[in-house]
Amino acid sequence: MNREVFIALFKQSLTEPREAGRYIIGLNLPAQFLWMALAFLAAVMSLLVSGMFQIVPLPEGEMGDMMRMNPAYRTPLVFALMQWGQAVISVVVLTWIGRLFGGRARVEDMLAVTIWIQLIALVLGLGVGVLAVLLPPLGAFAILAYIAWALFITVAMIDAAHGFENMLKSLGVFIASIVALALGSALIAGMIGVSATAGGL
């Protein structure tokens, strides 16, 4: 993918994310390349977030203490592994639940659009972050617009991967996946808590 194609696809993703998603899936990129790209993005995002924590002065009090306890501040490698693990689980869950809704996405399809979403979010997130620092009032609106756009493009890419042609169904898959991930996280946390309690007895 040369520079011109990348820029054109980037612009299309902002206005026509479903079509951009279909194009990305149509590239049929090798699975090994996609997994490596996901790991690379997780590392880059971890370094950027960690760098922001180190550059921007942290607030005093409990809020600052909580931010200092964040793995991105203390151990960027652990944060990168967490980012990668969450992305992998999300890809599998979105693929599985989408199929339950009648979708046809492969794990590779969902992985490809997930990587593209993360790449665009990284570029736009940097812009929004700079704007928020330089012009805080305007930056607040930019952050809200960024969140709304992120939701829209994610649902559209899910639709492209599963071939629903129905954004409401794709939104249902997205919400069901969030619920499933939340329940799974709570279950794992509960099991860990029970094991720790049992070990202390």
Side-chain angles (χ1 to χ4, degrees):
M1 184 185 296
N2 58 38
R3 181 172 178 271
E4 289 74 18
V5 174
F6 179 88
I7 293 175
L9 187 59
F10 186 93
K11 292 179 179 177
Q12 186 182 36
S13 299
L14 300 179
T15 56
E16 300 176 316
R18 255 196 309 202
E19 287 68 20
R22 294 191 187 103
Y23 176 84
I24 293 166
I25 293 169
L27 293 175
N28 288 317
L29 297 170
Q32 184 177 6
F33 170 81
L34 292 173
W35 290 115
M36 290 176 62
L38 185 67
F40 175 75
L41 270 177
V44 170
M45 292 176 69
S46 176
L47 288 174
L48 288 173
V49 174
S50 179
M52 289 295 292
F53 274 135
Q54 300 299 329
I55 294 172
V56 178
L58 299 181
E60 299 296 332
E62 293 185 3
M63 180 62 70
D65 293 338
M66 289 177 61
M67 294 177 70
R68 291 182 183 88
M69 292 300 295
N70 191 301
Y73 180 82
R74 301 172 64 87
T75 51
L77 179 58
V78 173
F79 184 72
L81 291 173
M82 290 172 60
Q83 291 288 104
W84 180 81
Q86 290 173 357
V88 170
I89 294 172
S90 296
V91 165
V92 174
V93 171
L94 285 168
T95 302
W96 175 64
I97 291 182
R99 284 181 170 272
L100 293 179
F101 277 65
R104 60 170 183 267
R106 303 172 301 162
V107 170
E108 291 83 358
D109 299 333
M110 194 61 66
L111 181 58
V113 296
T114 297
I115 291 170
W116 184 247
I117 291 171
Q118 289 191 353
L119 183 59
I120 298 178
L122 179 61
V123 174
L124 293 182
L126 288 174
V128 170
V130 171
L131 186 61
V133 172
L134 298 179
L135 299 170
L138 188 58
F141 287 104
I143 291 173
L144 291 176
Y146 174 78
I147 294 172
W149 169 84
L151 174 61
F152 170 67
I153 190 176
T154 300
V155 173
M157 290 286 181
I158 291 172
D159 191 80
H162 281 293
F164 289 135
E165 301 296 338
N166 185 331
M167 293 286 281
L168 287 178
K169 181 178 285 190
S170 300
L171 179 60
V173 171
F174 178 68
I175 293 173
S177 298
I178 291 176
V179 172
L181 288 169
L183 290 175
S185 298
L187 179 62
I188 292 173
M191 292 175 64
I192 292 174
V194 170
S195 299
T197 303
L201 294 178

